[in-house]
C-alpha cells in the first residue's frame, strides 16, 4: 500500500485526489493532509481518511483544528506546516494554488519523494532551484496538469520508464522532434480582436470546457495559462522552446501530443477529467483500475485544431519571451500576471490591459540566474511591484 500526503487537500486537486483514493480501496493510505485555512473541510477529511498528521498554514486556527480532529491526530500549524507534511509519504500531491506551493515542492523533492505536481508556479517561477532539488536521489516529478501528464505518458511510450526518471535530461538519440500542447482557446476563441476591449469579468470567467478557479480561468481566457505551461514543459522535460508548440483544440479531448523525428505523432485522449492525471501520478509506473474520462467513440463526433491567435492573445508570446530569457524572468512574469489578473477581477483594468501590464513589468526588469529561493522570491516581488505601478498608471489614465 502506497502512502500519500495531500497538500492543498481541500481544493480542487485535493478533493479530486480523495475521489481517486475512494475509487481504489486498499491501494493508498493517506498519512497527511493540509490546507491554508479550511478548517471544516480539513476536519471532515480527517475523520474520513484518518491521517496521522493534519496541517494548517493559518496559525490562529490551530486550536480549533486540534479540538475537532480525531483523537491522536497530530496537528501542525503555521507558515511551514504544509511543507512539513511533504516529506514522509511515498507520493506527495502538491495541489496548493499559487506561488506558496514552491516550498512544498522543494520539501518533497529534497526528501527524495515522488511529487505529483499540480502547482505550476513551482516550476515556472522556481525552475532553476527546483531542478537542483530534483537531483536528490529518489526525487521524481510526475505532472498532474492534464497537458503535461499527457506529454509524460507519450514520452514514456517512446523513451521507456527508466529514461523518465532522468528527466529533464533527455537521453542521447531520443528521437523527439517536438511537444505540442493543446489549448481549449478559452471563451474568446475566434472573437475579433477589436471586440476584446469590451470584455467583462463575467465574460472571461465563462470557460467553455473546464470548471476552475477565477485566476486560472482568466489565465485561460488570455492564453497566459498556456504560456505558463510552455515554460513548465521546458522545465519538466528538457525540451527547447523552439520545439514546443501550442495548438487550439476546443473539445479538450486530445490533452497534448509529441512528434518523433520520423513524423509520427503520439497523443493522449480522454474526456476532460482531472482524476485521470491524478490517478496516473498516484499509481505510476502502474495504472489505477478505476476509469476516469473514458471516451464513447460513437458519440464523440469531431476533433478540431487551429493555430492560436497570437496577435489577439499576446500573453502567449510574453511567456515564450520570458522563458527564453531564462533565469528569474519567468518568476517576474508570474508575479506580474497575478497582479494584472487580480486588478482585472477587481475592475481596475480592462481585460486587454492584462498583457500590457505584464509587458511593462518585463520591459523594466533585468533577470538574473538564481542561486537560492531568496532570488526567486525577490524576482516575484519585483514583478508584482512593477505590475502594480503599471496597473496604477492605467487606472489613473482611465479616470482622466
Amino acid at each position: 500500500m502506497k502512502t500519500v500526503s495531500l497538500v492543498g487537500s481541500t481544493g480542487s486537486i485535493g478533493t479530486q485526489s480523495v475521489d481517486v483514493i475512494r475509487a481504489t480501496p486498499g491501494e493508498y493510505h493517506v498519512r497527511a493532509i493540509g490546507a491554508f485555512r479550511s478548517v471544516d473541510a480539513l476536519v471532515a477529511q480527517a475523520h474520513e481518511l484518518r491521517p496521522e498528521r493534519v496541517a494548517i498554514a493559518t496559525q490562529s486556527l490551530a486550536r480549533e483544528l486540534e479540538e475537532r480532529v480525531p483523537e491522536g491526530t497530530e496537528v501542525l500549524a503555521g507558515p511551514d506546516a504544509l511543507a512539513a507534511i511533504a516529506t514522509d509519504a511515498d507520493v506527495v500531491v502538491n495541489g496548493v494554488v499559487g506561488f506558496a506551493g514552491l516550498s512544498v515542492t522543494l520539501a518533497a523533492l529534497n526528501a527524495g519523494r515522488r511529487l505529483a505536481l499540480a502547482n505550476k508556479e513551482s516550476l515556472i517561477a522556481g525552475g532553476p532551484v527546483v531542478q537542483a532539488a530534483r537531483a536528490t536521489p529518489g526525487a521524481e516529478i510526475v505532472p498532474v496538469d492534464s497537458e503535461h501528464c499527457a506529454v509524460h505518458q507519450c514520452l514514456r511510450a517512446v523513451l521507456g520508464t527508466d529514461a523518465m526518471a532522468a528527466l529533464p535530461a533527455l537521453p542521447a538519440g531520443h528521437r523527439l522532434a517536438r511537444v505540442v500542447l493543446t489549448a481549449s482557446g478559452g471563451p474568446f476563441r475566434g472573437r475579433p480582436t477589436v471586440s476584446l476591449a469590451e470584455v467583462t469579468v463575467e465574460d472571461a470567467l465563462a470557460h467553455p470546457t473546464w470548471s476552475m478557479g477565477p485566476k486560472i480561468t482568466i489565465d485561460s481566457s488570455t492564453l497566459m495559462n498556456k504560456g505558463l505551461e510552455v515554460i513548465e514543459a521546458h522545465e519538466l522535460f528538457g525540451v527547447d522552446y523552439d520545439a514546443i508548440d501550442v495548438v487550439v483544440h476546443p473539445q479538450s479531448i486530445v490533452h497534448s501530443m509529441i512528434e518523433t523525428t520520423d513524423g509520427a505523432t503520439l497523443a493522449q485522449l480522454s474526456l476532460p477529467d482531472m482524476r485521470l492525471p491524478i490517478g496516473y501520478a498516484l499509481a505510476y509506473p502502474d495504472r489505477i483500475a478505476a476509469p476516469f474520462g473514458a471516451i464513447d467513440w460513437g458519440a464523440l463526433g469531431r476533433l478540431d485544431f487551429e493555430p492560436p491567435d497570437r496577435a489577439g492573445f499576446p500573453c502567449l508570446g510574453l511567456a515564450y519571451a520570458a522563458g527564453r530569457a531564462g533565469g528569474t524572468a519567468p518568476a517576474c512574469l508570474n508575479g506580474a500576471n497575478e497582479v494584472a489578473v487580480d486588478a482585472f477581477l477587481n475592475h481596475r483594468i480592462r481585460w486587454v490591459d492584462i498583457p500590457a501590464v505584464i509587458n511593462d513589468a518585463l520591459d523594466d526588469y533585468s533577470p538574473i540566474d538564481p542561486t537560492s529561493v531568496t532570488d526567486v522570491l525577490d524576482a516575484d516581488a519585483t514583478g508584482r511591484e512593477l505590475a502594480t505601478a503599471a496597473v496604477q498608471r492605467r487606472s489613473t489614465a482611465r479616470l482622466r
Side-chain angles (χ1 to χ4, degrees):
M1 180 182 290
K2 284 183 180 176
T3 58
V4 179
S5 180
L6 300 178
V7 191
S9 64
T10 63
S12 175
I13 294 297
T15 55
Q16 290 181 89
S17 296
V18 174
D19 287 345
V20 173
I21 290 167
R22 288 193 193 106
T24 53
E27 297 292 326
Y28 305 100
H29 168 59
V30 178
R31 294 194 64 185
I33 58 175
F36 276 96
R37 62 183 65 86
S38 303
V39 173
D40 291 343
L42 272 177
V43 169
Q45 289 180 336
H47 281 276
E48 176 185 359
L49 301 171
R50 298 286 169 161
E52 286 90 345
R53 303 207 289 176
V54 178
I56 191 160
T58 306
Q59 182 71 54
S60 61
L61 298 174
R63 184 167 183 177
E64 179 185 355
L65 186 61
E66 289 171 345
E67 292 172 348
R68 297 176 60 189
V69 297
E71 185 176 353
T73 305
E74 180 185 3
V75 172
L76 291 77
D80 299 325
L82 297 184
I85 63 169
T87 61
D88 57 357
D90 297 324
V91 184
V92 178
V93 178
N94 185 354
V96 174
V97 175
F99 193 71
L102 176 59
S103 63
V104 175
T105 289
L106 291 174
L109 294 176
N110 283 323
R113 305 303 180 188
R114 178 186 302 154
L115 177 65
L117 182 61
N119 175 264
K120 59 170 50 71
E121 289 82 1
S122 293
L123 279 170
I124 293 157
V129 293
V130 170
Q131 298 299 8
R134 202 171 172 182
T136 305
E140 185 176 20
I141 297 176
V142 180
V144 169
D145 274 354
S146 63
E147 295 83 359
H148 301 96
C149 181
V151 173
H152 194 280
Q153 294 179 64
C154 294
L155 280 177
R156 180 184 175 192
V158 172
L159 303 180
T161 301
D162 290 344
M164 299 301 289
L167 292 175
L170 290 168
H174 54 73
R175 302 301 188 223
L176 173 67
R178 63 174 177 154
V179 166
V180 182
L181 302 177
T182 54
S184 69
F188 308 133
R189 180 180 64 88
R191 185 161 169 169
T193 301
V194 68
S195 71
L196 294 174
E198 307 304 322
V199 161
T200 67
V201 171
E202 292 72 24
D203 292 336
L205 290 174
H207 195 279
T209 307
W210 296 95
S211 177
M212 305 174 291
K215 194 268 181 182
I216 297 176
T217 304
I218 300 303
D219 281 350
S220 179
S221 76
T222 64
L223 290 192
M224 177 56 86
N225 194 49
K226 205 54 49 181
L228 297 177
E229 288 174 4
V230 167
I231 298 173
E232 191 177 5
H234 169 77
E235 295 289 343
L236 278 170
F237 307 119
V239 182
D240 290 339
Y241 284 102
D242 289 344
I244 304 173
D245 289 339
V246 172
V247 64
V248 172
H249 168 52
Q251 290 87 1
S252 298
I253 298 294
V254 177
H255 293 286
S256 279
M257 302 169 270
I258 67 168
E259 182 182 296
T260 53
T261 53
D262 60 356
T265 297
L266 286 76
Q268 186 263 315
L269 287 73
S270 63
L271 295 179
D273 193 325
M274 284 303 300
R275 292 173 296 181
L276 191 156
I278 291 169
Y280 177 80
L282 288 176
Y284 184 80
D286 198 359
R287 288 183 179 268
I288 63 173
F292 294 105
I295 296 171
D296 178 353
W297 289 97
L300 184 58
R302 56 186 286 177
L303 300 174
D304 297 302
F305 302 91
E306 62 191 53
D309 176 5
R310 289 175 178 261
F313 301 85
C315 281
L316 181 58
L318 291 172
Y320 267 101
R324 289 189 170 104
T328 53
C332 176
L333 170 89
N334 185 72
N337 178 62
E338 290 196 6
V339 168
V341 169
D342 181 72
F344 169 68
L345 287 170
N346 286 285
H347 306 282
R348 296 182 61 206
I349 61 173
R350 301 172 301 163
W351 184 87
V352 292
D353 291 327
I354 294 174
V357 165
I358 298 165
N359 186 66
D360 285 354
L362 290 175
D363 279 349
D364 292 338
Y365 180 72
S366 298
I368 64 170
D369 291 326
T371 60
S372 67
V373 174
T374 299
D375 290 338
V376 175
L377 293 172
D378 288 345
D380 173 79
T382 301
R384 293 173 188 273
E385 291 170 5
L386 293 171
T388 298
V391 166
Q392 182 62 36
R393 288 195 297 271
R394 280 168 173 75
S395 297
T396 302
R398 288 182 65 194
L399 293 175
R400 288 174 180 166

